[in-house]
Amino acid sequence: QDSKLPSSVRSTLLELFGQIEREFENLYIENLELRREIDSLNERLAGEGQAIDGAELSKGQLKTKASHSTSQLSQKLKTTYKASTSKIVSSFKTTTSRAICQLVKEYIGHRDGIWDVSVARTQPIVLGTASADHTALLWSIETGKCLVKYAGHVGSVNSIKFHPSEQLALTASGDQTAHIWRYVVQLPTPQPVADTSQQISGEDEIECSDKDEPDLDGDVSSDCPTVRVPLTSLKSHQGVVIAADWLVGGKQVVTASWDRTANLYDVETSELVHSLTGHDQELTHCCTHPTQRLVVTSSRDTTFRLWDFRDPSIHSVNVFQGHTDTVTSAVFTVGDNVVSGSDDRTVKVWDLKNMRSPIATIRTDSAINRINVCVGQKIIALPHDNRQVRLFDMSGVRLARLPRSSRQGHRRMVCCSAWSEDHPICNLFTCGFDRQAIGWNINIPALLQEK
């Protein structure tokens, strides 16, 4: 009677509180009924020397005997159980990941974000990085020293790939060209590698500002030899060239552009052999098969396309439609599989013989950038927008997450990953917007045993 609230507001509040009271009454009655059902079931099972309580409902042991309400309670208990133990499970996974995945070396020298990372396929084995600072750098994997700087582009260098048998590099750029250039390197004497696995205390992920990023006041690339003129410049595109790759044998290359086309070039003559059209929006990536004349291109139009050049007289194309957002990359594996990653936060594994639906789907919590597959062990490395890098097998089972804290790992979006299966020290490399590349040692036998 003493309330100063308007009568209309009071009546609304009273109605709402009445609804709340009725809901609690219904829950109370339902709980009583469930308790009676449990007691009744206990009585039936008492003669068999068995008994259950409400907690065991979460294990689904009454699935065929309890009512629909009981199964609802079972689901609630199961959800609560999972939520209450998720932190414990996560801590166990973290410990396992640290033992299996160790940071070995950081490659610091670029003055802007690194878009791509690649490993040479012939001796000497070097690491290549492509950056928005208009350069590509080659690194000693063991020492982290910059060996060669390529400064022939006038735009962001978006990708780098090594020739299958010669000391040639292929770079794609925002200046609408792709360059082929020769490098000569002399590897320095390796120094003992410090064990960084013991430097972490806790898994707390601290947001890092720009001042926490690597100190780049001293340009480490200024001391290494600089290549400024390419052997070949490929200039047929009308937009940013976002990626490029060598076809098997190294006599042809393919480029992917924001002009919605992919171009196939002859390396010796620099002539355009084919212009591959059909995508409705900008291309994001291209990849070639390691042993066959096959090319896959990815696009913002949510599709990726398979181009077949095995028959010289004709080339066929197949369209894969399975994502709901930009396909950021699609890569080949050994055999007849393609793995695609997307901004829709999924990775899909496809069989080239059956394009209608993927054979496996991996769902994640963040957009996925340029993925890479460890061909020998068929392990997929997923670099994410949220700074994480996760490892999955081809059936979609999560194997590990690379350690990341305030002291190690990437501080910004991870753009790309690359496996180097034969290197004894680092067999996985990642790069990102924090202007550094990282070399990791993944204990693959232990990883697969843990699986």
Side-chain angles (χ1 to χ4, degrees):
Q1 298 296 328
D2 297 331
S3 174
K4 294 183 173 58
L5 292 173
S7 58
S8 59
V9 175
R10 287 191 66 222
S11 61
T12 301
L13 287 173
L14 289 172
E15 181 180 353
L16 290 173
F17 281 120
Q19 293 178 11
I20 293 172
E21 182 180 6
R22 288 192 292 273
E23 287 293 327
F24 274 104
E25 285 180 354
N26 291 334
L27 286 173
Y28 178 74
I29 293 171
E30 182 179 341
N31 285 336
L32 289 178
E33 292 175 352
L34 289 172
R35 188 70 255 175
R36 282 196 294 269
E37 290 178 8
I38 291 171
D39 292 337
S40 174
L41 288 170
N42 274 333
E43 291 175 1
R44 294 183 191 178
L45 298 173
E48 301 175 8
Q50 303 178 46
I52 59 173
D53 56 33
E56 289 180 309
L57 288 171
S58 64
K59 300 177 182 178
Q61 295 184 8
L62 302 181
K63 186 174 180 180
T64 59
K65 300 180 180 180
S67 65
H68 177 66
S69 297
T70 307
S71 63
Q72 282 185 329
L73 178 61
S74 170
Q75 186 61 42
K76 291 177 183 177
L77 290 169
K78 189 183 298 183
T79 302
T80 303
Y81 174 78
K82 286 181 178 178
S84 64
T85 58
S86 61
K87 291 184 178 180
I88 300 174
V89 172
S90 178
S91 67
F92 278 117
K93 287 183 177 179
T94 297
T95 304
T96 301
S97 293
R98 284 187 193 150
I100 294 174
C101 311
Q102 295 186 9
L103 187 151
V104 176
K105 185 64 68 175
E106 294 177 329
Y107 305 89
I108 300 173
H110 280 292
R111 306 193 68 85
D112 207 336
I114 304 176
W115 292 115
D116 199 18
V117 61
S118 183
V119 182
R121 292 184 272 180
T122 59
Q123 295 293 337
I125 304 298
V126 295
L127 179 70
T129 52
S131 171
D133 65 7
H134 299 190
T135 70
L137 299 181
L138 305 188
W139 307 82
S140 164
I141 293 177
E142 293 82 1
T143 68
K145 179 182 178 181
C146 179
L147 304 174
V148 174
K149 176 180 180 179
Y150 182 71
H153 287 291
V154 294
S156 169
V157 184
N158 300 320
S159 79
I160 181 169
K161 288 291 185 290
F162 291 96
H163 190 277
S165 59
E166 299 181 42
Q167 292 188 22
L168 297 173
L170 169 66
T171 49
S173 174
D175 62 13
Q176 304 186 7
T177 69
H179 288 179
I180 299 172
W181 45 279
R182 186 174 297 278
Y183 62 91
V184 178
V185 297
Q186 183 174 359
L187 295 180
T189 303
Q191 300 297 320
V193 178
D195 183 5
T196 59
S197 63
Q198 303 300 321
Q199 297 177 3
I200 312 170
S201 57
E203 181 66 11
D204 296 335
E205 294 193 5
I206 300 175
E207 294 294 331
C208 301
S209 63
D210 289 343
K211 67 181 180 181
D212 296 315
E213 293 185 0
D215 183 7
L216 301 179
D217 291 338
D219 186 357
V220 300
S221 65
S222 62
D223 299 331
C224 63
T226 300
V227 179
R228 300 185 184 276
V229 180
L231 293 177
T232 302
S233 181
L234 308 174
K235 301 179 178 179
S236 300
H237 283 294
Q238 304 301 313
V240 167
V241 183
I242 197 65
D245 201 359
W246 303 87
L247 267 73
V248 58
K251 295 182 179 181
Q252 292 181 324
V253 299
V254 63
T255 57
S257 172
W258 284 4
D259 66 9
R260 305 185 183 185
T261 69
N263 286 343
L264 187 68
Y265 295 93
D266 182 274
V267 171
E268 185 177 355
T269 64
S270 304
E271 292 182 358
L272 177 64
V273 179
H274 289 295
S275 183
L276 312 179
T277 60
H279 282 292
D280 295 330
Q281 294 189 42
E282 295 93 331
L283 273 65
T284 57
H285 192 249
C286 63
C287 179
T288 59
H289 195 281
T291 60
Q292 302 182 62
R293 290 177 53 79
L294 299 172
V295 174
V296 63
T297 55
S298 312
S299 171
R300 292 186 61 188
D301 63 11
T302 74
T303 73
F304 65 94
R305 292 176 176 240
L306 173 68
W307 309 83
D308 190 342
F309 297 101
R310 288 175 292 188
D311 187 339
S313 60
I314 60 171
H315 69 268
S316 61
V317 57
N318 293 307
V319 182
F320 290 73
Q321 297 175 320
H323 290 285
T324 59
D325 206 336
T326 297
V327 180
T328 52
S329 63
V331 298
F332 290 100
T333 68
V334 170
D336 294 321
N337 293 127
V338 169
V339 183
S340 60
S342 171
D343 279 345
D344 65 10
R345 303 183 179 184
T346 68
V347 171
K348 296 178 185 287
V349 182
W350 305 80
D351 186 343
L352 296 182
K353 298 175 182 177
N354 179 15
M355 302 177 299
R356 294 183 179 179
S357 60
I359 58 178
T361 298
I362 301 168
R363 304 186 187 280
T364 70
D365 60 352
S366 179
I368 295 144
N369 297 310
R370 291 181 175 176
I371 60 179
N372 198 256
V373 179
C374 176
V375 175
Q377 302 295 336
K378 296 186 177 181
I379 300 174
I380 313 168
L382 312 185
H384 290 281
D385 274 3
N386 66 1
R387 304 171 295 167
Q388 303 289 354
V389 180
R390 296 183 174 96
L391 307 181
F392 286 80
D393 69 9
M394 294 285 288
S395 61
V397 175
R398 176 174 161 176
L399 302 176
R401 175 171 63 86
L402 300 192
R404 207 207 72 79
S405 72
S406 61
R407 298 186 182 182
Q408 74 165 1
H410 288 287
R411 297 169 175 84
R412 290 192 176 183
M413 179 178 77
V414 188
C415 299
C416 182
S417 60
W419 289 95
S420 176
E421 300 178 53
D422 298 327
H423 199 276
I425 297 176
C426 301
N427 54 3
L428 177 63
F429 299 89
T430 57
C431 64
F433 264 14
D434 56 0
R435 298 178 280 178
Q436 67 173 335
I438 297 177
W440 305 85
N441 181 268
I442 312 298
N443 188 337
I444 293 179
L447 189 70
L448 297 177
Q449 183 178 9
E450 184 68 22
K451 169 192 170 183

